[in-house]
Amino acid sequence: PVWSGTNVAGVNLQTLNPKIGTDGDSENWKDTHKQVVDSAYEVIRLKGYTNWAIGLSVADLTESLIKNMNRIHPGMYGITNEVYLSLPCVLNNGGVSSVVNMTLTPAEVGQLQASASTLWAIQKDLKDI
């Protein structure tokens, strides 16, 4: 998670709690993040699938492309491999028209790069299938 960019009503939570998301965080935001990540498994357990969310995401992206809507969607942040990451970009009928670069801490950049590398290691072998 990008703890440095987490805000509520424009108030940066890291300003209120400098240890947010760390082991020293007395509010235990790491646990909240884990609950969000694990919620997908809860959906699968209750419904047996998550394909509606995937279908709605694809429909949303397709609408932006076809209707030239210039809406902000998740995209990529300086990653050279062909991976898709949940970072904001503007999407229209020409594809990604611009990337909304977030200000990340060095630790967050490292986590992002590690995620991209993990995804690429898995998907690079699927490219020619």
Side-chain angles (χ1 to χ4, degrees):
V2 182
W3 295 115
S4 65
T6 305
N7 74 78
V8 175
V11 177
N12 183 296
L13 296 184
Q14 197 170 48
T15 305
L16 300 175
N17 177 0
K19 294 184 179 182
I20 189 169
T22 68
D23 291 332
D25 179 7
S26 62
E27 295 175 339
N28 201 15
W29 281 92
K30 259 182 144 175
D31 188 51
T32 301
H33 173 254
K34 183 178 179 341
Q35 289 174 22
V36 170
V37 170
D38 291 346
S39 66
Y41 302 110
E42 182 68 6
V43 170
I44 292 169
R45 186 182 72 75
L46 296 171
K47 289 176 43 181
Y49 54 88
T50 60
N51 56 330
W52 280 99
I54 296 166
L56 289 171
S57 295
V58 170
D60 190 50
L61 293 169
T62 303
E63 181 183 32
S64 288
L65 290 168
I66 292 172
K67 294 182 178 178
N68 197 28
M69 298 178 78
N70 286 303
R71 288 193 296 193
I72 295 177
H73 292 276
M76 57 190 293
Y77 179 85
I79 306 297
T80 57
N81 293 322
E82 297 177 23
V83 296
Y84 181 82
L85 301 168
S86 295
L87 294 163
C89 67
V90 178
L91 190 63
N92 61 30
N93 66 355
V96 175
S97 65
S98 64
V99 175
V100 181
N101 286 314
M102 300 170 62
T103 303
L104 302 176
T105 66
E108 291 165 342
V109 171
Q111 290 171 335
L112 179 63
Q113 294 289 342
S115 294
S117 295
T118 299
L119 289 172
W120 181 246
I122 295 166
Q123 97 180 23
K124 68 181 169 59
D125 295 329
L126 303 174
K127 206 172 179 184
D128 297 326
I129 292 179

